[in-house]
Structures are given as structure tokens and as C-alpha cells.
Amino acid sequence: MNILVINCGSSSLKYQLIDSKTEAVLAKGLCERIGIDGSLLTHQPAGKDKVKIETPMPNHTVAVKLVIEALTNTVHGVISSLDEIGAVGHRVVHGGEQFATSVIINETVMKAIEECNDLAPLHNPANLIGINSCKEIMPNVPMVAVFDTAFHQTMPEKAYLYGLPYEYYEKYKVRRYGFHGTSHDYVSDRAAQILGKKRTDLKIIVCHLGNGASVSAVDHGKCVDTSMGLTPLEGLIMGTRSGDIDPAICDFICQKEHLSPAEMNNILNKKSGVFGMSGVSSDFRDIEAAADEGNKLAQAALDAFYYRVAKYIGAYTAAMNGIDIIAFTAGVGENNQVGRKEICAYLGYLGTELDVDRNNVRGEERIISKEGSKVTLMAIPTNEELAIARQTLALVQS
């Protein structure tokens, strides 16, 4: 069965077509600037050159139609007709407390996703648009929602409750939810597989480090804590997000700068993080280059980022009362050997021993600790699309 994986943003649509039997990616691509002038579809068939199609995409339904046309095109397509798509897996950012697992999409599920719009106003409405667009074009194809928050729903109350009046949880469900759950699930399970062990026998910390970044504690197969909170703003310093700060800072700056709460929120989400700290970029590669050239603010931003990651690792080791594996993933975690080295330099108290030669790796699965290290250090590329395809297959075949 071929499974189409859809990741829909407000003005974009990422996709992969995956053969569920071989788990090979038959084609992947991106629709950009949906509803904006200059709409572009970039389509990449496996083993062939990229195809770029610049054409108007007034809405997501048109974008989905263009994706289907690209997949079935006689020149750069990979299937002969729409009938060869057996199911569609949709990434949905927020499932609230309603969804602890992936689910087959029906009207009840659609309504529940919509009820979470207040918790993810930039993401869930776009995810719903993508689902509705696919349903319009493929009404008889089963569709599955895979939630970023689902894997973290095993957190205990002591981990997800905030130090706020309990009525805000009761009335508005203000609590820690966590994100990147599909990635944390995939990487923690893959880490156990590489060692030939069961995840249910291990204590694993996953460091999903990229422009968006989070850390999770996976204790015997279940997430017991994670760094992102009600929204993806909490936790680590990120590309443009501030991460953890003293909440009183918001009121202080608003009064000094005469800002509205919305303007302050925009600063925290889009103008902070390593971008705001360095004044250089939100791309860690640019910041590293600037630091190498002697930019002290760039170096300070990197140092702060690595330090925060190490602190979360320490906290989650305590939360699980031990640690077997630390796995690094996502853009920075998979590819930045210097970053992994800097983070691991804080972890000697755990008995970790990084192997410099093994750590010289980018985008490949590898154990990067020395033989005899008390904690196994690993670099593991994440594959959220494959995880979504697997979960979709399991549900439609059940």
C-alpha cells in the first residue's frame, strides 16, 4: 500500500508518498506560498531530478490537486492513478487531552481537532484545511490524524500541571502538552532497536535539536516529561523562540516598550532565541560561522543553547532516577558534531564518554560514545514521515 503523508501549514504543504511494504519514499515535495503570489511546487521523484512548477495556488485544495497531478504525471510521476494511494496520514500539531494515540479521521475527530484551535491557533486550523482538502479530492481514501502531542500524554500529573490556580486547568486545560512527539517516539524506539534491546527496558532522553527544539524523558517506553509546554514556546532556547524565561519579564518589557500582549508574544516567538541573542540569524550554521569569526554574541548564544540542553538532560536523568541512552536528533542534533561535543562536556558526572572519531558524523545513525561508557550516546536522524506512515498503516489495516 502507498501512503501519502501530508504536513500542512498555513501557506505550505509538505508531502511524501511512501511504499508501506518497503518503506521507500517514492516521491516527496513542497507547495509554498499557498494563497500568495508566486506559488511554487517543488516535486522530487525518487532517483530523479527535482521538478519545479510555478503556478497559482489560491487555496490548499488546489495545492493537493497539483500534488496528485505531480505524483501521477507521465514524465515525473511515480504512480499511474489516484487509486494507488491507499491511505493518507496527516500531521496534526495539537490533540489536547482528547488524543493519546493516532486515530482514523471522522466527523467526531474533526470536531475535536477544531476544539484544540485555541491551543494551536497557527497550526491546527491549517491542519484542518489540509484534511478537508484531501477529503474533497479523495473522499473514499481512509485518512489518519497523527498528533504531535499524543506521545506525551503519558506524562503524570506532577509533570504536566503548572503552578497556577487549578481553575485554569479545569476551565481552559492550561497544562504542559509537549510537541515533536512523533519524532521523540520514533527516535527513542529506534535507539533501542540499534542496541538490540526493548524500549520498555530502558531509560532514554531524546534531544530533538533544530530551529524548534525539545527534550523528552522516555522511561521504559513512556514519556514522563518533556520541555515544551502549553505551546512550543516553553523549554529550550530555540531558533527564534525564547524558551524558559521569568514570566515577569513580559510585563516589564511591555511597560518599558509600550507593547501589547500580542506584540510581546510575537517577540518571544519570532524575534528571540539564538536569533535575538546573536543578532545574526536563526540558522545555527550562520551563528557558528559568525562565532568562528570572533562574534562574541554569536558564541554567547551557542553557549547558552548548549548549556540549556545539558541542564534538561540533568533534570530528566533525575526525573527517571537514571539514564541508559541519550539520543541526539533533528537538524542540529543529527548534524552538529561540535554541538554534541559541547553538550556532552557537561555530562561527565553521568559516566558518559564521547568518542571524538565516532562523533564525526552528519545525518547518519551512529553510536558516538566510547566502549564502556556508562551511558550510550547516539546520533539518530529522525523520520517523522515514516513514523506517520507506519501509524497510518497500522490503523487502516486493523
Side-chain angles (χ1 to χ4, degrees):
M1 180 189 296
N2 295 325
I3 295 174
L4 180 61
V5 176
I6 296 287
N7 182 353
C8 208
S10 58
S11 62
S12 66
L13 188 155
K14 295 180 183 178
Y15 65 91
Q16 285 193 11
L17 185 66
I18 296 174
D19 181 337
S20 63
K21 186 175 182 180
T22 64
E23 297 193 337
V25 177
L26 303 178
K28 60 183 178 180
L30 171 65
C31 296
E32 301 175 86
R33 300 179 63 83
I34 299 171
I36 306 170
D37 290 342
S39 302
L40 177 68
L41 166 62
T42 303
H43 177 69
Q44 173 75 71
K48 298 181 180 179
D49 294 334
K50 287 182 180 178
V51 178
K52 293 194 175 186
I53 303 168
E54 191 166 347
T55 185
M57 297 182 212
N59 54 53
H60 287 74
T61 301
V62 172
V64 172
K65 287 180 179 176
L66 289 168
V67 168
I68 299 301
E69 288 173 9
L71 291 170
T72 57
N73 184 277
T74 55
V75 178
H76 52 256
V78 293
I79 55 176
S80 58
S81 73
L82 183 59
D83 295 337
E84 293 183 45
I85 297 175
V88 182
H90 293 269
R91 176 189 180 235
V92 179
V93 168
H94 218 305
E97 291 185 325
Q98 294 98 317
F99 300 106
T101 60
S102 302
V103 292
I104 291 178
I105 297 171
N106 55 31
E107 290 305 314
T108 302
V109 170
M110 293 288 284
K111 184 178 179 181
I113 294 172
E114 187 175 355
E115 289 172 354
C116 294
N117 281 359
D118 285 348
L119 296 172
L122 298 179
H123 298 94
N124 271 37
N127 300 152
L128 285 167
I129 289 169
I131 294 169
N132 281 320
S133 297
C134 287
K135 286 173 66 178
E136 183 177 337
I137 296 166
M138 297 176 274
N140 298 317
V141 177
M143 301 196 185
V144 169
V146 180
F147 300 92
D148 270 12
T149 50
F151 182 62
H152 304 305
Q153 284 299 297
T154 52
M155 283 190 291
E157 192 176 56
K158 63 185 178 183
Y160 69 69
L161 284 180
Y162 287 117
L164 295 168
Y166 191 71
E167 65 181 290
Y168 296 136
Y169 170 65
E170 292 181 303
K171 290 161 66 175
Y172 310 118
K173 297 302 178 185
V174 174
R175 52 158 284 181
R176 180 185 310 281
Y177 289 98
F179 300 87
H180 296 143
T182 307
S183 175
H184 287 286
D185 185 10
Y186 173 84
V187 172
S188 58
D189 192 54
R190 184 65 192 137
Q193 290 176 11
I194 291 170
L195 294 184
K197 297 182 179 181
K198 294 180 179 179
R199 184 169 62 170
T200 50
D201 294 331
L202 299 166
K203 298 178 179 182
I204 304 169
I205 290 175
V206 177
C207 302
H208 179 108
L209 309 180
N211 194 275
S214 60
V215 181
S216 69
V218 183
D219 191 354
H220 293 84
K222 294 183 178 181
C223 177
V224 294
D225 210 340
T226 191
S227 59
M228 285 180 166
L230 175 74
T231 74
L233 182 59
E234 188 182 359
L236 298 174
I237 295 168
M238 303 176 221
T240 62
R241 297 178 191 139
S242 66
D244 299 334
I245 63 169
D246 179 347
I249 291 172
C250 297
D251 182 61
F252 182 84
I253 293 177
C254 282
Q255 292 192 44
K256 293 292 185 182
E257 297 285 330
H258 308 291
L259 301 173
S260 69
E263 288 171 325
M264 188 69 232
N265 193 53
N266 186 61
I267 289 170
L268 294 174
N269 275 286
K270 297 182 179 180
K271 298 182 180 180
S272 300
V274 292
F275 170 65
M277 295 174 74
S278 69
V280 173
S281 172
S282 62
D283 191 310
F284 281 83
R285 292 167 295 188
D286 296 337
I287 299 172
E288 289 162 14
D292 290 341
E293 293 172 0
N295 186 317
K296 292 184 178 180
L297 287 179
Q299 187 60 58
L302 291 173
D303 290 343
F305 175 74
Y306 300 145
Y307 178 65
R308 290 284 184 91
V309 176
K311 284 211 301 182
Y312 266 101
I313 291 172
Y316 289 166
T317 299
M320 295 190 292
N321 194 21
I323 179 69
D324 297 305
I325 299 171
I326 299 170
F328 296 96
T329 192
V332 177
E334 296 168 18
N335 298 303
N336 189 331
Q337 64 190 69
V338 174
R340 294 192 297 259
K341 180 181 177 183
E342 292 295 323
I343 293 165
C344 290
Y346 288 100
L347 307 179
Y349 68 97
L350 294 176
T352 60
E353 294 185 77
L354 183 72
D355 187 301
V356 176
D357 292 330
R358 289 180 176 180
N359 188 45
N360 186 19
V361 65
R362 292 175 57 86
E364 295 179 20
E365 289 184 348
R366 184 179 292 182
I367 295 172
I368 57 174
S369 51
K370 292 181 179 179
E371 296 292 337
S373 176
K374 291 184 179 179
V375 178
T376 302
L377 305 171
M378 308 178 82
I380 302 176
T382 191
N383 195 333
E384 292 169 282
E385 290 80 11
L386 177 57
I388 290 171
R390 285 174 175 173
Q391 292 180 42
T392 299
L393 180 68
L395 280 170
V396 298
Q397 286 190 337
S398 63

